[in-house]
Amino acid sequence: MYHFEQSKLLQRLPEQFFASLVQKVQRLASQGHDIINLGQGNPDLPTPKHIIEELKIAADNPNYHKYSPFRGQQFLKEAIAEFYMREYHVEIDPNKEVAILFGAKTGLVEISQCLLNPGDLALLPDPGYPDYMSGIAMANADIALMPLKKENGFLPNYSAIEKDTLDRAKLMFLNYPNNPTAAIATKDFFDETVMLANAHNICVVHDFAYGAIGFDGNRPQSFLQSEGAKDIGVEMYTLSKTYNMAGWRVGFAVGNQSVIESINLIQDHLYVSLFSGIQQAAAKALLGSQESVSELVHIYEARRDKFIEKLHDIGWKVEAPKGTFFAWLPVPEGYTSEQFADLLLEKAHVVVAPGNGFGESGEGYVRLGLLDHEDRLIEAAERIGSLKIFR
Ligand SMILES: Cc1ncc(COP(=O)(O)O)c(C=O)c1O
C-alpha cells in the first residue's frame, strides 16, 4: 500500500502527551485491576433531564432535518445574549458579537488560524490546556509562555514579560477558573489584562470553560465584565461543563465583532452549523431552570471537601481548589510529576495526570479530576495513603 505523507501542517502538530498514559491505563485495566481514573476532564454526571427532553421534541421538527443556517439559529444567539446579561450583566449583540461553536475546543483551535500569520506571536499560559498550542501550530505561529506560579495565585505576571515580546504578541490565551491549576481570577487581574492588551494591541481570548464552577460562594468573573474587554477580546464558553453536555459539542464565542466575524467566516468554509435540535436544547439549557447548575457546583464542592480532608488525613498537605473540578497538587519531594503519577498508577491503581503534560511550569504537580463518586475519591485517597509516602 502506498504511504501518503502527512502535510507539513499535520507534522507541526504537538504530540498528544497523554496518549501514553491512556495506554498504560488500558494495560492495567485489561489485567483486571480496579482502576480509579482521575486523570481526565470528562464530566461524570448526566445532562439535566429538561435539556434532553427538549432535544427529543426538537428531533421531530422537519425543518431541523435540513441544513441549519450557516452561522447558527437566531434563537440560540439571542439566548446567549440573554444568558450573558442575566449571569454577568454584559450586553452582547446577538447579530454581531456571537459565534456558535462545536464546543469551545473548536473555537480555541480556530482562533489562531483566524488571526495569526506564520511567524506571529501568541502568549500562552504555562501550564495550560494543550489545544491552544494545536491551533498555533496549525497557523505556523510562534509561542511565548507565561508561567503560572503558585506565588502569583497561578496568574501570569505581566511585568515579567519583555516589552518586545508584548509588542510582537498578537494573541493571548487565558483561562479562569483555570485548567489545570484550579485557580480563579480577580476582576483586578482582568482589568490589568485589558490595559495591557490595549497598550500592545493584543487580542485576548479568555477560555471560560469552567465559568460556572466556583467554590466557597465565589462566582467566577467573566473577562467581559471588565470595562473595555469586549473591544480587545473574546470569551469562549461551553455547555460541556456547566450542563454536563460534553458529548453534545456545543459552545460559543462572544465579544469583539471583528474576531467574531473572522470565526464565523472560517466556519462558513469548514462547517454548516450544529444540528438545530442541539441548538434548541442548548437554548433551553441557557434560558431554562438553572437549579441543576447550583446542584452540580454543590456536588463538586462536597467532593472537593471530602477528598481534600482525606488527603490531609493521609499527610498530603494540599490546598483546596477554588474552582473547576480539578485539584492541582504538589508532588512529594524526590519525585518528578511523571514518576509520581507512574507510582500512583502502578502501586495504587489511581490515575492522575502528570503536571508537566500541561507545560514546563506544570512540573512538580499532578492534576486530579474530582469526577467520580465521593466514596471512590475517598478510596483513591486511602489507596494513596497506604503507600505511606507522606508520613
Ligand atoms: C480549559 C478548557 N477549555 C476548553 C475545553 C473544551 O471544551 P469543549 O467541550 O467545549 O470543547 C476544556 C475541556 O476539557 C477545557 O478544560
Coordinates of all heavy atoms in Angstrom, one line a residue, residues 135-168:
G135 N -3.8 24.9 17.7 CA -4.2 26.0 16.7 C -3.0 26.8 16.3 O -2.9 27.2 15.1
I136 N -2.1 27.2 17.3 CA -1.0 28.0 17.0 C 0.0 27.2 16.0 O 0.5 27.8 15.0 CB -0.2 28.4 18.3 CG1 -1.2 29.2 19.1 CG2 1.0 29.1 18.0 CD1 -0.7 29.5 20.5
A137 N 0.1 25.9 16.2 CA 0.9 25.1 15.3 C 0.4 25.1 13.9 O 1.1 25.2 12.9 CB 1.1 23.7 15.9
M138 N -1.0 25.0 13.8 CA -1.6 25.0 12.5 C -1.3 26.3 11.8 O -1.2 26.3 10.6 CB -3.1 24.8 12.6 CG -3.5 23.3 13.0 SD -5.2 23.1 13.0 CE -5.4 21.6 13.9
A139 N -1.3 27.4 12.5 CA -1.1 28.7 11.9 C 0.4 29.0 11.7 O 0.8 30.0 11.1 CB -1.7 29.8 12.8
N140 N 1.2 28.0 12.1 CA 2.7 28.2 12.0 C 3.2 29.4 12.7 O 4.1 30.1 12.2 CB 3.1 28.1 10.5 CG 4.5 27.6 10.3 OD1 5.1 27.2 11.3 ND2 5.0 27.6 9.1
A141 N 2.6 29.7 13.8 CA 3.0 30.9 14.5 C 3.9 30.5 15.7 O 4.1 29.4 16.0 CB 1.7 31.6 15.1
D142 N 4.4 31.6 16.4 CA 5.4 31.3 17.5 C 4.6 31.5 18.8 O 3.6 32.1 18.9 CB 6.5 32.3 17.4 CG 7.4 32.1 16.2 OD1 7.3 31.0 15.6 OD2 8.1 33.1 15.8
I143 N 5.3 31.0 19.9 CA 4.7 31.0 21.2 C 5.7 31.6 22.2 O 6.9 31.4 22.2 CB 4.5 29.5 21.6 CG1 3.3 28.9 20.9 CG2 4.3 29.4 23.1 CD1 3.2 27.4 21.0
A144 N 5.1 32.5 23.1 CA 5.9 32.9 24.3 C 5.1 32.4 25.5 O 3.8 32.7 25.5 CB 6.0 34.4 24.3
L145 N 5.7 31.7 26.4 CA 5.0 31.2 27.5 C 4.9 32.2 28.7 O 5.8 32.9 28.9 CB 5.7 29.9 28.0 CG 5.7 28.7 27.0 CD1 6.6 27.6 27.5 CD2 4.3 28.3 26.7
M146 N 3.8 32.1 29.3 CA 3.6 32.9 30.5 C 3.5 32.0 31.7 O 2.4 31.3 31.9 CB 2.3 33.8 30.5 CG 2.2 34.7 29.3 SD 0.7 35.7 29.3 CE -0.6 34.5 29.0
P147 N 4.5 31.8 32.5 CA 4.5 30.8 33.6 C 3.4 31.2 34.6 O 3.3 32.4 35.0 CB 5.9 30.9 34.2 CG 6.7 31.6 33.3 CD 5.8 32.5 32.4
L148 N 2.6 30.2 35.1 CA 1.6 30.5 36.1 C 2.2 29.9 37.4 O 2.4 28.7 37.5 CB 0.3 29.7 35.8 CG -0.3 30.0 34.4 CD1 -1.7 29.3 34.3 CD2 -0.5 31.5 34.2
K149 N 2.6 30.8 38.3 CA 3.3 30.3 39.5 C 2.4 30.4 40.8 O 1.5 31.4 40.8 CB 4.5 31.1 39.8 CG 5.5 31.1 38.6 CD 6.9 31.2 39.1 CE 7.9 30.8 38.0 NZ 8.7 32.0 37.6
K150 N 2.6 29.5 41.7 CA 1.8 29.5 42.9 C 1.8 30.8 43.6 O 0.8 31.4 44.1 CB 2.3 28.4 43.8 CG 1.5 28.2 45.1 CD 1.9 26.9 45.8 CE 1.0 26.7 47.0 NZ 1.2 27.6 48.1
E151 N 3.1 31.4 43.7 CA 3.2 32.7 44.5 C 2.4 33.8 43.8 O 2.1 34.8 44.5 CB 4.7 33.1 44.7 CG 5.5 33.3 43.4 CD 6.3 32.0 43.0 OE1 5.8 30.9 43.2 OE2 7.3 32.2 42.4
N152 N 2.0 33.7 42.6 CA 1.2 34.7 41.9 C -0.3 34.3 41.8 O -1.0 34.8 41.0 CB 1.7 35.1 40.5 CG 3.1 35.6 40.6 OD1 3.5 36.3 41.5 ND2 3.9 35.2 39.6
G153 N -0.7 33.3 42.6 CA -2.0 32.8 42.5 C -2.3 32.1 41.2 O -3.5 32.1 40.7
F154 N -1.3 31.6 40.5 CA -1.4 31.0 39.2 C -2.0 31.9 38.2 O -2.6 31.5 37.2 CB -2.2 29.7 39.3 CG -1.5 28.6 40.1 CD1 -2.1 28.2 41.3 CD2 -0.3 28.0 39.7 CE1 -1.4 27.3 42.2 CE2 0.3 27.0 40.5 CZ -0.3 26.7 41.7
L155 N -1.7 33.2 38.3 CA -2.0 34.2 37.3 C -0.7 34.6 36.6 O 0.4 34.6 37.3 CB -2.6 35.5 37.9 CG -3.9 35.3 38.7 CD1 -4.2 36.6 39.5 CD2 -5.0 35.0 37.8
P156 N -0.7 34.9 35.3 CA 0.6 35.4 34.7 C 1.1 36.7 35.3 O 0.3 37.5 35.7 CB 0.3 35.5 33.3 CG -1.2 35.5 33.1 CD -1.8 34.9 34.4
N157 N 2.4 36.8 35.4 CA 3.0 38.1 35.9 C 3.4 38.9 34.7 O 4.4 38.7 34.1 CB 4.2 37.7 36.8 CG 4.9 39.0 37.3 OD1 4.4 40.1 37.1 ND2 6.0 38.8 38.0
Y158 N 2.5 39.9 34.4 CA 2.7 40.6 33.1 C 4.0 41.4 33.2 O 4.7 41.7 32.2 CB 1.5 41.5 32.9 CG 0.3 40.8 32.5 CD1 -1.0 41.3 33.0 CD2 0.3 39.7 31.7 CE1 -2.2 40.6 32.7 CE2 -0.9 39.0 31.4 CZ -2.1 39.5 31.9 OH -3.3 38.8 31.6
S159 N 4.4 41.9 34.4 CA 5.6 42.7 34.5 C 6.9 41.9 34.2 O 7.9 42.5 33.9 CB 5.7 43.4 35.8 OG 5.7 42.5 36.8
A160 N 6.8 40.6 34.2 CA 7.9 39.8 33.9 C 8.1 39.5 32.4 O 9.0 38.9 32.0 CB 7.8 38.4 34.6
I161 N 7.1 40.0 31.6 CA 7.2 39.7 30.1 C 7.9 40.9 29.5 O 7.6 42.1 29.8 CB 5.8 39.6 29.5 CG1 5.0 38.5 30.3 CG2 5.9 39.2 28.0 CD1 3.5 38.4 29.8
E162 N 8.9 40.6 28.7 CA 9.7 41.6 28.0 C 8.8 42.5 27.1 O 7.9 42.0 26.5 CB 10.7 41.0 27.0 CG 11.6 39.9 27.7 CD 13.0 40.4 27.9 OE1 13.4 41.3 27.1 OE2 13.7 40.0 28.8
K163 N 9.1 43.8 27.0 CA 8.3 44.7 26.2 C 8.3 44.3 24.7 O 7.2 44.3 24.1 CB 8.9 46.1 26.4 CG 8.0 47.2 25.7 CD 8.5 48.6 25.9 CE 7.7 49.6 25.0 NZ 7.8 49.3 23.6
D164 N 9.4 43.8 24.2 CA 9.5 43.4 22.8 C 8.5 42.3 22.6 O 7.8 42.2 21.5 CB 10.9 42.8 22.5 CG 11.8 44.0 22.2 OD1 11.4 45.1 22.3 OD2 13.0 43.7 22.0
T165 N 8.4 41.4 23.5 CA 7.5 40.2 23.4 C 6.1 40.7 23.4 O 5.3 40.3 22.5 CB 7.7 39.2 24.6 OG1 9.1 38.9 24.6 CG2 6.8 38.0 24.5
L166 N 5.8 41.7 24.3 CA 4.4 42.2 24.3 C 4.1 42.9 23.0 O 3.0 42.8 22.5 CB 4.2 43.1 25.5 CG 4.3 42.5 26.9 CD1 4.3 43.5 28.0 CD2 3.0 41.6 27.1
D167 N 5.1 43.7 22.5 CA 4.8 44.4 21.2 C 4.6 43.4 20.1 O 3.8 43.7 19.2 CB 6.0 45.3 21.0 CG 6.0 46.6 21.9 OD1 4.9 46.8 22.4 OD2 7.0 47.2 22.1
R168 N 5.3 42.3 20.1 CA 5.2 41.4 19.0 C 3.9 40.5 19.1 O 3.4 40.1 18.1 CB 6.4 40.4 19.0 CG 7.2 40.4 17.8 CD 8.2 39.2 17.8 NE 7.6 38.0 17.1 CZ 8.1 36.8 17.3 NH1 9.1 36.5 18.1 NH2 7.5 35.8 16.5

